[in-house]
Amino acid sequence: MSAPETAAEEAAEFYLSMADLTEQEIRETIAEIPAAAADATWPQVHVSGANGQHAAFMRMDYNVTLHVEGDLGDYAFAYNTKVDARLSGSAGHGVGEGMRSGSIRVRQNAGCGAGAAMVGGTLAVYGSAGPRCGAAMRGGGIFVRGDVGDETGVGAIGGMIVIGGDAGRNLGDAMNNVNVFIRGRATSLAPGVTEAPLRKREQLRLGLLLINASIRGDSSEFRRVVPIAMLEAEESRRGEVNPNWR
Amino acid sequence: MSHLLAPLCLLPPSLDTAWSGVAPPDKSHAIPRHNDTAIRLQLPLVWFDPPWHRLALGTADALACAVAGLGITVSALHRDVAAAGQQSRFFDGGAARVEQDQHISRAPRMLPYRPERYGLSVEDFDECQIIDVRLGVSRDRSGGFVFSQVQIQRWEATADGAPLAGGGTVPAATFPPDVMSLDQLGSKILQLRKLAPAAAIFVSVGPFRVADEIRRLLASRTKDKRSLPDGLVVRLDQAALTPLQLAEQTQSIRASVDAVGETELPLCIVPGEVTADDAAKLVALGADSVAVDSWCDELVDELCYPSDSMAAAFGYPQHGVVISSDEQSDRLAGWVRDALSPQIERFTGLCLSLSPDPRDCLGTFDALWAKALGVKMLGAGSMKVTI
């Protein structure tokens, strides 16, 4: 590890290599980094040498920003808490599985089951994601700038999925209490989900989320896909009558 | 309960066997792992799929402690027995340290790693002895491939006025959504090894396509050994098998596992309703451990008001008995011990008599069973065959 270049007003920076250190050694090094003051920028940890390692940087619970240079394999950053992780390349299957908080930004593509069973936090994929993105997610938000594969959101019971491109077949199958925002087209929607109007409040919220995830675009370009039961419950709470009854 | 496998007999030694003392009762069950370490469990018995949602949280926690305290490996998520952020005696090891032996010091716990992972929290990986990757879709009591609202509410509590799925059922998954195919399950197993380095990783499958699934799970011996499971669970309870089919399937599954060169791979059979005698015979047929859900589910039935009872009809608390103090937990543990000990002792005693090779200890007076299972034909009838 190179010496930290700490300045009073700047975040400490650390440089580590997966080629020189085992992942355990990297974790131990990160664990020893003193916590930043509550209002200070988090320490910046730069990790090089990523070349497809599986199950890397899982279950991390540190207030650090982790910059990983290269590609990672399956289940990268699974079950993480707090960490702000940024991957310059692609991730394999199950990136961010079960993550609880913090954020993950994947600059390129993600495999199948991105964000599966995640509970909180934000997963942003700047390329495309494979099938079953956001499957069984229970909270948090997933943003994919490009396309997503088949069965996106299958079994999800909470949270939000934003798709900048197109979606494959069966979007939203067995989905509950989840909002999907899509800019492109879905090959097919699953039974039980429908397109719904994007209301002003949702437009504003989505716009803010797009800014947070550094995804370009206007929220008004997106359409909303939700479970029919959820839409009916919303309408009933608002006391609305469906004008399409005749 | 009648003995399903009554036509099968566990044979005593032949008359000319020399008198030998019974070996000291080492009841423990060792699960060899990929890295030449082993996990030792007190008994080869598992409570595979407890209906925790039928019990109040405190009661579920106390019951898990009590059953694990007898050495039965108990399957549970933290959310099954305690609310999010609350402590659990079962998970914190308060009451269920089963033996003083340092090798068997923790409450034997199995983490059910279902495809959907509803209710799973990262702390579930800590100190579990077995992670069971549950492949295949589950039926609830209604027969559908769904989780009931009561079950899902236990795992993913929402506000009373906003239940998930509008208060209906939630579909169960068929396969982990972040695994591309069965052939690529190894990557998931490697991940779980990293999340729980001290645990054994099991994979459970249903009975319907078991031969093909075993081949695909285990046949690739060129794979990294660490990417193969440490054990296999077969849910024979998912099919309505006759007793002979149950015996045949157990034997055939063991043979299938042996045929791919995994003769030491632990095989756990989930047989449905069995007695202690049946469980011991399943061990003789090739199982290394047996799920005894029928023994333990009876305790749950006792602790709940039956759904068709007057108490339930009049709206008394659905979860029945509520355990909320250590003193009540201790009394419950005593009640559980009284209920389960006779069966455990019977099973243990029969298993001790299965030496040296359990498969040589089986025989039957029934020609059909003898032919189907290839076991010894017993009694005077066997003379006709040999004359």
Side-chain angles (χ1 to χ4, degrees):
Chain A
M1 179 172 65
S2 67
E5 300 161 6
T6 314
E9 65 283 2
E10 288 177 5
E13 305 233 8
F14 301 84
Y15 292 87
L16 309 166
S17 170
M18 294 179 86
D20 302 332
L21 300 171
T22 64
E23 196 193 323
Q24 185 58 32
E25 288 168 333
I26 292 177
R27 296 176 78 92
E28 286 166 6
T29 306
I30 293 173
E32 286 169 9
I33 296 173
D39 56 346
T41 310
W42 285 1
Q44 307 287 304
V45 179
H46 301 266
V47 178
S48 59
N51 58 4
Q53 292 91 334
H54 293 308
F57 305 113
M58 295 191 303
R59 203 175 173 181
M60 299 186 81
D61 185 0
Y62 310 112
N63 288 331
V64 297
T65 301
L66 185 64
H67 304 264
V68 181
E69 197 66 36
D71 298 327
L72 287 175
D74 300 342
Y75 312 112
F77 310 119
Y79 297 98
N80 274 2
T81 304
K82 298 179 197 160
V83 175
D84 174 15
R86 300 166 188 207
L87 177 67
S88 71
S90 291
H93 306 315
V95 60
E97 177 207 349
M99 72 180 287
R100 302 201 287 186
S101 64
S103 65
I104 300 169
R105 300 178 195 207
V106 179
R107 277 282 149 205
Q108 296 181 24
N109 301 320
C112 79
M118 65 185 280
V119 181
T122 305
L123 167 65
V125 178
Y126 292 90
S128 291
R132 301 183 291 281
C133 174
M137 67 187 289
R138 292 141 64 188
I142 298 179
F143 302 83
V144 180
R145 181 183 282 172
D147 300 335
V148 294
D150 296 339
E151 293 171 332
T152 288
V154 59
I157 54 174
M160 181 180 58
I161 302 172
V162 181
I163 304 162
D166 297 330
R169 288 179 293 119
N170 231 14
L171 174 64
D173 194 13
M175 197 171 76
N176 278 291
N177 292 5
V178 178
N179 277 298
V180 175
F181 298 98
I182 181 167
R183 183 152 49 186
R185 295 275 154 210
T187 307
S188 63
L189 298 185
V193 297
T194 186
E195 282 200 14
L198 191 63
R199 297 166 199 275
K200 195 70 190 168
R201 187 170 55 90
E202 284 146 4
Q203 257 189 42
L204 291 173
R205 195 161 46 145
L206 179 59
L208 199 60
L209 292 166
L210 291 172
I211 292 167
N212 274 348
S214 307
I215 292 179
R216 289 190 207 93
D218 189 314
S219 58
S220 63
E221 298 165 11
F222 286 78
R223 286 162 299 112
R224 179 174 170 239
V225 174
V226 292
I228 292 170
M230 178 176 154
L231 183 64
E232 286 173 350
E234 279 179 13
E235 287 170 348
S236 132
R237 276 200 298 275
R238 290 192 186 101
E240 290 177 4
V241 176
N242 186 347
N244 296 326
W245 62 273
R246 54 193 141 170
Chain B
M1 193 189 300
S2 59
H3 301 296
L4 285 179
L5 304 180
L8 270 182
C9 301
L10 295 175
L11 302 181
S14 59
L15 293 183
D16 54 355
T17 305
W19 185 8
S20 65
V22 177
D26 178 13
K27 305 171 289 180
S28 67
H29 169 51
I31 302 170
R33 297 174 71 232
H34 64 97
N35 55 1
D36 296 329
T37 60
I39 289 174
R40 296 195 75 80
L41 299 172
Q42 190 184 349
L43 288 171
L45 299 175
V46 180
W47 190 5
F48 183 76
D49 198 11
W52 296 123
H53 59 282
R54 294 179 58 205
L55 297 171
L57 285 171
T59 312
D61 194 29
L63 184 59
C65 270
V67 173
L70 297 174
I72 296 175
T73 301
V74 175
S75 168
L77 299 175
H78 184 273
R79 288 275 178 93
D80 283 319
V81 297
Q86 287 192 352
Q87 289 208 318
S88 150
R89 292 179 85 206
F90 178 52
F91 274 74
D92 300 337
R97 306 261 167 195
V98 294
E99 278 195 359
Q100 295 306 311
D101 183 342
Q102 59 176 346
H103 299 297
I104 312 173
S105 57
R106 293 175 287 164
R109 177 164 63 85
M110 172 185 273
L111 161 58
Y113 188 85
R114 299 184 179 88
E116 318 82 5
R117 278 151 264 180
Y118 296 147
L120 179 74
S121 54
V122 71
E123 290 78 14
D124 285 318
F125 292 106
D126 298 337
E127 298 207 343
C128 65
Q129 278 82 352
I130 297 174
I131 297 177
D132 179 37
V133 181
R134 299 203 168 165
L135 303 182
V137 66
S138 305
R139 288 185 195 273
D140 82 339
R141 298 177 99 192
S142 73
F145 296 122
V146 293
F147 296 115
S148 69
Q149 185 58 213
V150 182
Q151 171 69 87
I152 209 79
Q153 193 69 16
R154 172 63 60 93
W155 288 333
E156 305 292 337
T158 55
D160 285 346
L164 278 167
T169 55
V170 172
T174 49
F175 192 72
D178 49 355
V179 179
M180 277 306 277
S181 72
L182 192 56
D183 305 301
Q184 295 185 26
L185 192 67
S187 182
K188 173 59 72 181
I189 290 172
L190 287 172
Q191 180 209 14
L192 295 174
R193 288 200 191 288
K194 210 163 173 180
L195 285 166
I201 314 294
F202 278 41
V203 173
S204 59
V205 296
F208 304 104
R209 303 169 190 90
V210 67
D212 178 53
E213 286 162 355
I214 287 174
R215 185 182 52 75
R216 291 174 67 189
L217 277 169
L218 305 176
S220 182
R221 303 192 68 204
T222 54
K223 277 183 187 172
D224 177 359
K225 189 80 177 162
R226 293 177 310 141
S227 69
L228 296 176
D230 297 315
L232 187 69
V233 182
V234 183
R235 299 202 57 177
L236 294 179
D237 63 327
Q238 290 183 345
L241 300 179
T242 64
L244 180 54
Q245 286 170 338
L246 173 65
E248 261 188 305
Q249 284 300 311
T250 302
Q251 208 180 39
S252 308
I253 291 164
R254 180 74 258 174
S256 302
V257 174
D258 292 351
V260 294
E262 296 292 343
T263 53
E264 300 297 315
L265 190 85
L267 171 65
C268 175
I269 292 291
V270 186
E273 282 197 17
V274 284
T275 61
D277 289 47
D278 295 331
K281 288 170 189 175
L282 290 172
V283 170
L285 285 162
D288 293 283
S289 55
V290 179
V292 288
D293 288 31
S294 56
W295 305 359
C296 303
D297 287 356
E298 270 183 18
L299 305 176
V300 175
D301 292 338
E302 289 292 327
L303 290 165
C304 294
Y305 296 123
S307 58
D308 56 353
S309 69
M310 288 302 287
F314 281 104
Y316 282 94
Q318 178 191 357
H319 291 311
V321 175
V322 176
I323 302 288
S324 55
S325 69
D326 286 351
E327 192 256 332
Q328 286 177 315
S329 296
D330 292 343
R331 284 173 59 197
L332 182 84
W335 174 72
V336 169
R337 194 180 315 111
D338 290 346
L340 293 182
S341 290
Q343 296 169 92
I344 292 172
E345 282 171 18
R346 172 83 181 163
F347 169 79
T348 307
L350 290 173
C351 284
L352 284 174
S353 74
L354 298 179
S355 55
D357 184 352
R359 290 173 228 199
D360 290 339
C361 297
L362 286 171
T364 180
F365 293 92
D366 187 309
L368 180 66
W369 282 63
K371 188 176 176 192
L373 300 173
V375 298
K376 290 174 193 140
M377 186 68 196
L378 304 175
S382 62
M383 297 291 282
K384 290 178 192 165
V385 179
T386 53
I387 287 168

